[in-house]
Amino acid sequence: EAQVTQNPRYLITVTGKKLTVTCSQNMNHEYMSWYRQDPGLGLRQIYYSMNVEVTDKGDVPEGYKVSRKEKRNFPLILESPSPNQTSLYFCASSLGRDPAPGANVLTFGAGSRLTVL
Amino acid sequence: AQTVTQSQPEMSVQEAETVTLSCTYDTSESDYYLFWYKQPPSRQMILVIRQEAYKQQNATENRFSVNFQKAAKSFSLKISDSQLGDAAMYFCAYKTSYDKVIFGPGTSLSVIP
């Protein structure tokens, strides 16, 4: 089944304890991206990647790191989490700039609920 | 900077009736993509409909259609024959030519039996 898999789905952690949220897709997609969802703000893009070793900042990159060493994986790293990073996080992927219809449509993971105490 | 505005935080519709959700965006680009995504209580993000800015024809997917007004930078979603399963949060989204994606704040749609 074509899908984007995020782990963990739920996590409660404490301020300053480094954590990684993994994201993996099995569709050979070029484009991958991370979002955080907060009430009243919709989804805000954190980072995105058009290809291996190519990453760019979204609207809210502060406090986050990403890497794209393999095409299928795009982990989100919180080096020193703070309570304002408590949020629902989504990873998503798409074909990218392929001219085929629907190439830009995002396929989302199920979301990861992160609480930082 | 590009922005996406959804001016209706909450909407309601009677089952079987029609409802229109509004979305406006701000951009100086001419080539971009627009989307409506649905998020039911399960939190899963599901594509409802997409529109390429270079296409003048409004996109349609079964009971869902859009009114794309490029000059006015407006992209409204019309849901016909509303069903209970349409109750969800709806997000309008814009994808720039350089691959950044901006979402609106969302509209919560309730369907009244």
Side-chain angles (χ1 to χ4, degrees):
Chain A
E1 180 188 355
Q3 60 186 358
V4 176
T5 303
Q6 295 178 228
N7 281 298
R9 295 286 313 281
Y10 300 91
L11 179 64
I12 300 174
T13 189
V14 295
T15 298
K17 186 176 181 181
K18 180 180 178 181
L19 68 91
T20 299
V21 186
T22 64
C23 175
S24 179
Q25 50 92 6
N26 62 359
M27 296 165 282
N28 200 36
H29 281 174
E30 299 282 346
Y31 182 88
M32 297 187 75
S33 53
W34 276 102
Y35 305 83
R36 60 177 289 172
Q37 182 179 4
D38 301 290
L41 297 177
L43 282 77
R44 293 178 292 168
Q45 193 172 45
I46 304 171
Y47 271 96
Y48 59 99
S49 169
M50 269 307 298
N51 212 328
V52 174
E53 303 292 0
V54 178
T55 62
D56 284 291
K57 295 178 180 179
D59 283 331
V60 288
E62 296 78 18
Y64 305 95
K65 286 176 59 178
V66 293
S67 67
R68 188 93 182 272
K69 296 177 182 176
E70 303 169 283
K71 194 174 186 178
R72 63 182 292 128
N73 296 322
F74 191 45
L76 180 69
I77 303 159
L78 286 73
E79 292 273 4
S80 183
S82 63
N84 65 11
Q85 293 179 295
T86 292
S87 187
L88 176 61
Y89 291 86
F90 285 98
C91 180
S93 70
S94 71
L95 275 171
R97 295 180 185 169
D98 190 300
N104 288 283
V105 174
L106 291 168
T107 299
F108 283 84
S112 296
R113 171 72 69 184
L114 171 65
T115 301
V116 183
L117 301 176
Chain B
Q2 292 91 350
T3 58
V4 176
T5 301
Q6 294 178 249
S7 60
Q8 306 149 316
E10 298 179 349
M11 292 279 286
S12 62
V13 61
Q14 292 284 145
E15 196 175 2
E17 295 297 307
T18 296
V19 64
T20 298
L21 308 183
S22 66
C23 173
T24 58
Y25 56 94
D26 186 23
T27 184
S28 58
E29 296 186 322
S30 59
D31 185 20
Y32 51 87
Y33 300 85
L34 295 163
F35 307 87
W36 279 98
Y37 286 92
K38 168 185 177 181
Q39 187 180 45
S42 66
R43 301 184 321 190
Q44 182 66 45
M45 293 290 289
I46 303 164
L47 176 73
V48 175
I49 201 165
R50 73 176 193 270
Q51 175 82 43
E52 291 86 352
Y54 62 83
K55 290 187 178 178
Q56 292 186 335
Q57 186 173 9
N58 289 326
T60 299
E61 287 285 344
N62 300 314
R63 299 182 295 107
F64 299 89
S65 62
V66 298
N67 183 4
F68 174 47
Q69 302 289 328
K70 191 171 184 180
K73 298 177 184 175
S74 172
F75 184 60
S76 61
L77 174 70
K78 185 172 83 171
I79 306 174
S80 304
D81 185 27
S82 296
Q83 301 175 359
L84 294 177
D86 294 334
M89 184 72 82
Y90 286 81
F91 293 101
C92 178
Y94 167 100
K95 183 176 185 289
T96 73
S97 60
Y98 50 92
D99 305 311
K100 196 171 178 181
V101 180
I102 300 124
F103 283 82
T107 296
S108 178
L109 178 67
S110 302
V111 180
I112 303 165

